[in-house]
Amino acid sequence: QVQLVESGGGLVQPGGSLRLSCAASGTIFSINTMGWYRQPPGKERELVAAIRSDDSTNYADSVKGRFTISRDSAKNTVYLQMNSLKPEDTAVYYCYAVLKITGANYYTYWGQGTQVTVSS
């Protein structure tokens, strides 16, 4: 049984900042990757940022230089620091984790989503 719980979403003004967090709980053998997708209203879901177990990262071009992803491995938690927010960042943000609950296969798990709205 694995659960990803997200928090930190809300309403901010353009140019403002938010920090999202996502904590994985349950019996977890290991985590390979954690990250964030987002889905703006009426648009496709896209990868925002991801961080792997070796701390390598990747970002969507649209957020590079503004967003920073980090992780606390001891707490099985991933964070997304979002600065210089723009209205086009408005979306539901979904945390995901690629992890093992046994020593065998990796599976992808998803959080419930958290709303981020950037508006004056």
Side-chain angles (χ1 to χ4, degrees), residues 22-107:
C22 175
S25 62
T27 303
I28 300 172
F29 183 83
S30 64
I31 298 177
N32 177 264
T33 304
M34 297 187 78
W36 301 85
Y37 279 76
R38 69 183 181 187
Q39 187 165 26
K43 298 183 179 180
E44 298 180 10
R45 184 175 297 189
E46 65 174 349
L47 179 66
V48 178
I51 184 166
R52 305 179 73 176
S53 58
D54 64 357
D55 287 330
S56 62
T57 59
N58 64 283
Y59 297 91
D61 288 342
S62 59
V63 308
K64 187 176 181 180
R66 300 188 296 120
F67 291 11
T68 302
I69 189 169
S70 61
R71 69 192 302 170
D72 184 337
S73 296
K75 297 181 178 180
N76 292 330
T77 300
V78 64
Y79 305 93
L80 186 67
Q81 179 66 45
M82 304 185 294
N83 298 326
S84 302
L85 283 162
K86 304 175 180 179
E88 50 263 45
D89 295 318
T90 296
V92 178
Y93 284 69
Y94 296 92
C95 173
Y96 79 95
V98 181
L99 55 81
K100 293 181 180 180
I101 60 175
T102 69
N105 303 115
Y106 283 102
Y107 297 90

Side-chain angles (χ1 to χ4, degrees), residues 105-119:
N105 303 115
Y106 283 102
Y107 297 90
T108 302
Y109 296 82
W110 294 89
Q112 79 281 5
T114 186
Q115 177 71 46
V116 172
T117 302
V118 185
S119 179

